[in-house]
Amino acid sequence: MDLKELITEGESFLMSVRRTSFGDYIADSKGYAEWGAKSLMFLQSLYPNHPQTERFDFWVKRNMCDENECEQLIAILKAFHEINPKIAEVDYDKVLNKIFEKFHICARQLKRRHAGRPTLEIKDEYDVQDLLNAILRLHFEDVRPEEWTPSYAGGNNRMDFLLKNEEISIEVKMTRDGLKDKELGDQLIIDIAKYKTHPKCKFLYCFVFDPEGYIRNPRGLEHDLTKEHDGLSVKVYIRPI
């Protein structure tokens, strides 16, 4: 999704405005709200402190779903596009970095539901994958969980996530008693070799969730493995620190 596509999508809502005696309203209010939220996240990822981004946020939160509001939002998107048409080139490295850096905050917030309602509690690696899957879909169009890799070491393997359009793979780990520095390092080395065989994987991000602090030297492990591995660009994040 880029700016031009967001503008086109926004203009489609203007073509279906419902005229009433009380005002002119967007017929598809749900779709319009989703478009507004998606567009805001797009601008915030590129220009988080820009006055026009803050203005866009104001109009989205206004949430009147009327013709004037939609026109204001489209005008802001067009202004950004005219200033820099290449704004569509999103820095996905920055997006993923922010997701991994803030993941533990999101996981902690889930425990604080109103009136103690049921929630997703992060107990193991599968819980980490489920929450990360939901977050990734806010930023990427084509998220493919458990994509098969080509045969490696005599068998097929599954990668945790493939962002197909960006040719990015994500491997997820959660530390536990028995998966500490040495064991984690050995697993990641094997994973890197596995991902190198996938034709659609040019970048590999290894996200290790370590809420209990099992890893004694997280920065050292990150430094050892974050580099080019035979043409595969690898980045390792162990969080929180």
Side-chain angles (χ1 to χ4, degrees), residues 162-175:
L162 173 65
L163 309 178
K164 188 173 184 297
N165 296 335
E166 296 76 23
E167 299 185 315
I168 294 172
S169 296
I170 300 174
E171 178 71 19
V172 178
K173 305 284 186 187
M174 181 172 175
T175 57

Side-chain angles (χ1 to χ4, degrees), residues 1 12 14 30 39 56 87 90 106-107 111 125-126 137 162 164 168-170 176 181 188 193 210 215 223 225-226 228:
M1 180 66 68
S12 70
L14 290 177
K30 181 180 179 182
S39 300
F56 196 96
I87 190 175
V90 178
C106 183
K111 297 180 180 180
E125 203 166 281
Y126 293 106
R137 291 177 186 278
L162 173 65
K164 188 173 184 297
I168 294 172
S169 296
I170 300 174
R176 60 183 184 278
D181 294 68
L188 290 176
D210 184 30
I215 305 302
H223 181 267
L225 296 177
T226 298
E228 290 282 331

Side-chain angles (χ1 to χ4, degrees), residues 2-4 80-89:
D2 59 28
L3 261 181
K4 188 174 180 181
F80 273 117
H81 190 264
E82 290 174 4
I83 293 171
N84 183 7
K86 292 185 177 180
I87 190 175
E89 298 176 5

Side-chain angles (χ1 to χ4, degrees), residues 3-237:
L3 261 181
K4 188 174 180 181
E5 291 173 325
L6 289 171
I7 292 169
T8 300
E9 185 178 351
E11 290 175 336
S12 70
F13 291 108
L14 290 177
M15 298 175 65
S16 60
V17 170
R18 182 180 299 160
R19 310 291 180 183
T20 72
S21 57
F22 299 101
D24 301 331
Y25 299 98
I26 305 297
D28 182 7
S29 58
K30 181 180 179 182
Y32 171 73
E34 291 175 350
W35 167 78
K38 179 170 57 178
S39 300
L40 176 60
M41 284 189 294
F42 186 94
L43 295 182
Q44 287 176 333
S45 68
L46 294 169
Y47 291 113
N49 300 315
H50 197 286
Q52 289 295 336
T53 300
E54 295 176 1
R55 183 164 170 253
F56 196 96
D57 186 24
F58 165 79
W59 282 101
V60 168
K61 289 179 178 177
R62 182 174 176 267
N63 196 30
M64 296 297 291
C65 296
D66 59 26
E67 185 175 22
N68 177 54
E69 178 183 271
C70 185
E71 289 176 343
Q72 292 290 336
L73 295 177
I74 292 172
I76 294 172
L77 293 177
K78 285 183 175 180
F80 273 117
H81 190 264
E82 290 174 4
I83 293 171
N84 183 7
K86 292 185 177 180
I87 190 175
E89 298 176 5
V90 178
D91 188 339
Y92 291 112
D93 184 68
K94 287 185 178 179
V95 173
L96 289 170
N97 178 74
K98 187 172 183 179
I99 290 174
F100 299 146
E101 291 288 351
K102 302 293 185 181
F103 183 88
H104 69 286
I105 297 175
C106 183
R108 186 172 61 222
Q109 184 61 39
L110 284 175
K111 297 180 180 180
R112 302 170 181 171
R113 291 210 60 204
H114 177 73
R117 296 182 181 184
T119 187
L120 171 63
E121 187 173 354
I122 307 298
K123 294 182 178 180
D124 56 31
E125 203 166 281
Y126 293 106
D127 295 329
V128 177
Q129 291 178 8
D130 286 342
L131 178 54
L132 184 60
N133 190 4
I135 296 173
L136 288 172
R137 291 177 186 278
L138 295 174
H139 301 274
F140 298 92
E141 291 296 314
D142 191 349
V143 180
R144 302 192 181 193
E146 298 190 329
E147 175 85 1
W148 286 101
T149 66
S151 179
Y152 171 75
N156 289 327
N157 300 273
R158 290 178 183 268
M159 60 176 65
D160 290 329
F161 296 101
L162 173 65
L163 309 178
K164 188 173 184 297
N165 296 335
E166 296 76 23
E167 299 185 315
I168 294 172
S169 296
I170 300 174
E171 178 71 19
V172 178
K173 305 284 186 187
M174 181 172 175
T175 57
R176 60 183 184 278
D177 190 23
L179 183 60
K180 300 181 182 179
D181 294 68
K182 183 181 184 304
E183 295 80 9
L184 176 64
D186 291 343
Q187 284 194 18
L188 290 176
I189 290 171
I190 294 172
D191 290 331
I192 290 168
K194 173 182 68 177
Y195 280 96
K196 286 191 296 185
T197 66
H198 198 287
K200 290 295 184 181
C201 177
K202 293 184 178 179
F203 308 93
L204 172 62
Y205 289 79
C206 300
F207 174 56
V208 181
F209 189 47
D210 184 30
E212 302 300 325
Y214 281 113
I215 305 302
R216 291 173 296 176
N217 186 16
R219 287 292 183 257
L221 189 55
E222 287 178 344
H223 181 267
D224 289 345
L225 296 177
T226 298
K227 59 185 178 182
E228 290 282 331
H229 294 258
D230 296 330
L232 177 65
S233 179
V234 177
K235 285 195 174 184
V236 177
Y237 289 84

